[in-house]
Amino acid sequence: MSGPYKAVKVTDNVYWVGAIDWGIRDFHGYLTERGTTYNAFLVMADKITLIDTVKPPFRQELLGRIASVVDPKAISYVVSNHAEMDHSGSLLEVIDLVQPEKVFASSMGSRALKDHFHLDRDIVAVKDGESLSLGNLSLTFLETRMLHWPDNMFSYLAEERLLFSQDAFGMHLATSERFADEVDVSVLEYEGAKYFANILLPMSPLVTKLLEKVGNLGIQIDIIACDHGPIWRKDLDRIIGWYGSWARQQPTMKAVVAFDTMWFSTAKMAEAIAEGLLAGGAQPKLMPLKSNHRSNIATEILDAGALLVGSPTLNNNMYPTVADLLTYLRGLKPQNLVATAFGSYGWSGEAVGQIRKALEAMKVEVVDDGLRVKFVPGDDALTQCFELGRQVAEKTKELCGRG
Ligand SMILES: Cc1cc2nc3c(=O)[nH]c(=O)nc-3n(C[C@H](O)[C@H](O)[C@H](O)COP(=O)(O)O)c2cc1C
Ligand SMILES: [Fe+2]
Ligand SMILES: [Fe+2]
């Protein structure tokens, strides 16, 4: 009995048996405004194989979808491409129920799974490039270390020209459609970019290398079965091309102005700076932290050329939301950005210097000492803000020209 859940056929031998999480909004600090999916796949080979599992609360959905195709106990092999809980969280229950002959993971993955679940059974560690016969079909494993954990790997089903790509090429997007060609392209581009900016950005150079490596292997890929969001079966060049350009972080004249404010002085500064940016040929995008989540700001920075961060001074410090943003961005290591700091203060005014230091630690190109204005900015101060915007636009033009 499979209950209400049905598998979705991807190819002659591969079924989607994942789960749709419509309600999730916080994925380790990332605002998942459109929910997500945890994709798992059933390969109906002689040795029936399950690729990945799902987040623990969705175990019944996974098992139900499997049961709509085959008795779960008929599964011989389980492959874990990634040890993070959104894909491995149901592994123990699946093992208990299915009693598979073997469970496979990369060498780092087998250790990471042990550290998560303290299993008393063996996880077979596979090597980069190793192939596994499933009888009539075969899987080849390709390590993608540090994309985005040490354990990640791809599994390639040559006979179906299908790449199980785990987190890569995926996005947090819950839809009733299972395939990317059924979804609006602008939604795919935004959510794909958001995923890249918030998860893969620090590993951009590795993404570029991986794309080269896969290109050099000369393997044919007709389908990318990723672990989040829709499956790619048409226009694969689209998502692969996006990954190439996101990984390059090519700067544009877009200037992200992120700030918070208590009594709107810093907000007034941000608006005057935006006018200067515009006059200098940049496209300012104002993102007040009261109405913009850190992960949406990270997304906008992906194709920006400038980042301007503003904060009032509160008890000798930058505003807590600004510290949150800078901590988050520091980890994501955005590159190819001109940056500066600004803010209003009353007496000691530490915030701007603190932001400047944080920007320097991010190794972006910090211009100017940053601009501090005492209490409410008057006309002179607003003119200075305008000039700062114009100066940042000039520097951004230079940066774009260098690329
Ligand atoms: C609770 C509180 C604490 C403050 N602490 C400081 C401080 O330590 N040093 C300082 O220079 N200004 C401090 N200020 C003054 C603000 O930085 C000043 O009012 C500024 O103009 C606020 O900018 P905003 O309108 O963008 O919020 C404090 C203000 C408040 C309300
Ligand atoms: Fe992950
Ligand atoms: Fe994931």
Side-chain angles (χ1 to χ4, degrees), residues 65-215:
R65 292 193 202 282
I66 294 171
S68 74
V69 179
V70 70
D71 179 351
K73 291 192 169 64
I75 291 171
S76 301
Y77 295 159
V78 177
V79 173
S80 171
N81 280 323
H82 180 22
E84 196 170 358
M85 297 275 207
D86 49 338
H87 310 296
S88 71
S90 308
L91 190 62
L92 272 190
E93 288 85 353
V94 166
I95 289 173
D96 275 352
L97 177 80
V98 166
Q99 296 292 321
E101 276 171 47
K102 286 179 182 166
V103 180
F104 300 91
S106 66
S107 54
M108 300 297 267
S110 69
R111 275 179 259 165
L113 289 173
K114 287 216 165 107
D115 288 341
H116 277 77
F117 303 110
H118 311 285
L119 292 162
D120 54 10
R121 68 169 286 156
D122 270 354
I123 305 281
V124 181
V126 295
K127 291 197 184 69
D128 186 41
E130 187 175 330
S131 287
L132 170 71
S133 171
L134 310 180
N136 57 335
L137 303 176
S138 65
L139 279 176
T140 303
F141 304 108
L142 182 67
E143 278 189 355
T144 60
R145 255 182 217 208
M146 285 321 297
L147 284 170
H148 65 116
W149 275 16
D151 54 84
N152 291 72
M153 68 175 185
F154 288 168
S155 299
Y156 176 63
L157 188 66
E159 294 81 359
E160 305 268 32
R161 297 179 169 197
L162 186 152
L163 183 72
F164 297 107
S165 67
Q166 35 85 19
D167 282 333
F169 308 118
M171 63 190 70
H172 288 314
L173 177 61
T175 50
S176 43
E177 296 80 17
R178 292 281 59 79
F179 297 96
D181 50 279
E182 301 166 329
V183 178
D184 188 290
V185 175
S186 62
V187 173
L188 296 174
E189 185 171 17
Y190 180 78
E191 292 300 343
K194 186 170 185 179
Y195 193 89
F196 191 98
N198 286 277
I199 306 286
L200 295 170
L201 196 69
M203 298 88 178
S204 289
L206 290 179
V207 172
T208 305
K209 274 196 196 136
L210 178 70
L211 291 174
E212 277 171 21
K213 182 177 166 182
V214 174

